[in-house]
């Protein structure tokens, strides 16, 4: 028996939102709450980036979830919603979310760009070398379109 189809979406959300929460935990001042964020222009920018990342993540996950049918192998790739603009919107949304959290807290350093940058490179390479060849095999010409 296969797990319910919504499990993949839940796992994607737990991973990205958990990573953002973990980063916020390490970025916040010692002994302070998660609400101890910057209140200057950079803080507002970081908050806006976090909200944009969250919205983009949920839009991407819901769109992909609609394309996943319980008990049926996918015959066409998901090409609506954010997938019509970006091939991997969930990765992009997660990296945006982490970047926003990095800017949101007061102790901002150039090193805070390291995690989003490393993840961007990792996901780009894993998509190019692993995911795209698998999708080409699964969907054939439909994927190339």
């Amino acid at each position: 028996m296969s797990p319910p189809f919504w499990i993949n979406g839940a796992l994607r959300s737990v991973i990205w939102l958990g990573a953002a929460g973990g980063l916020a935990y390490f970025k916040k001042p010692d002994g302070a709450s998660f609400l101890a964020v910057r209140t200057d222009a950079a803080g507002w920018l970081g908050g806006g980036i976090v909200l944009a990342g969250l919205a983009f993540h949920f839009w991407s996950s819901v769109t992909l979830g609609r394309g996943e049918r319980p008990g049926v192998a996918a015959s066409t790739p998901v090409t609506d919603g954010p997938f019509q603009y970006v091939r991997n919107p969930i990765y992009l949304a997660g990296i945006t979310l982490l970047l926003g959290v990095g800017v949101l807290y007061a102790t901002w350093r150039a090193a805070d760009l390291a995690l989003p940058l490393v993840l961007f490179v990792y996901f780009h390479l894993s998509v190019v070398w692993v995911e795209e060849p698998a999708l080409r095999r699964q969907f054939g010409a439909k994927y190339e379109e």
Side-chain angles (χ1 to χ4, degrees):
M1 180 170 177
S2 64
F5 73 98
W6 55 267
I7 291 290
N8 286 335
L11 287 174
R12 284 188 292 273
S13 293
V14 165
I15 290 168
W16 284 111
L17 299 178
L23 180 60
Y25 177 79
F26 288 112
K27 293 282 298 169
K28 71 178 182 59
D30 290 336
S33 79
F34 283 102
L35 299 177
V37 297
R38 298 174 75 146
T39 57
D40 59 356
W44 283 97
L45 176 65
I49 294 170
V50 166
L51 291 176
L54 284 171
F56 196 47
H57 171 76
F58 287 117
W59 183 33
S60 302
S61 292
V62 166
T63 302
L64 185 59
R66 275 195 237 126
E68 297 173 336
R69 302 285 185 258
V72 177
S75 60
T76 60
V78 175
T79 58
D80 60 330
F83 291 88
Q84 64 186 324
Y85 307 109
V86 180
R87 190 175 300 218
N88 295 291
I90 294 171
Y91 299 153
L92 182 60
I95 292 166
T96 302
L97 181 62
L98 293 175
L99 179 64
V101 169
V103 174
L104 188 60
Y105 287 91
T107 56
W108 189 86
R109 299 173 305 272
D112 292 335
L113 295 176
L115 179 62
L117 183 61
V118 166
L119 287 173
F120 175 78
V121 170
Y122 169 77
F123 283 118
H124 177 71
L125 294 177
S126 68
V127 164
V128 169
W129 291 340
V130 178
E131 188 174 316
E132 286 184 1
L135 291 172
R136 279 188 183 90
R137 284 190 301 275
Q138 181 178 355
F139 298 119
K142 290 180 184 178
Y143 179 75
E144 294 300 329
E145 292 175 21

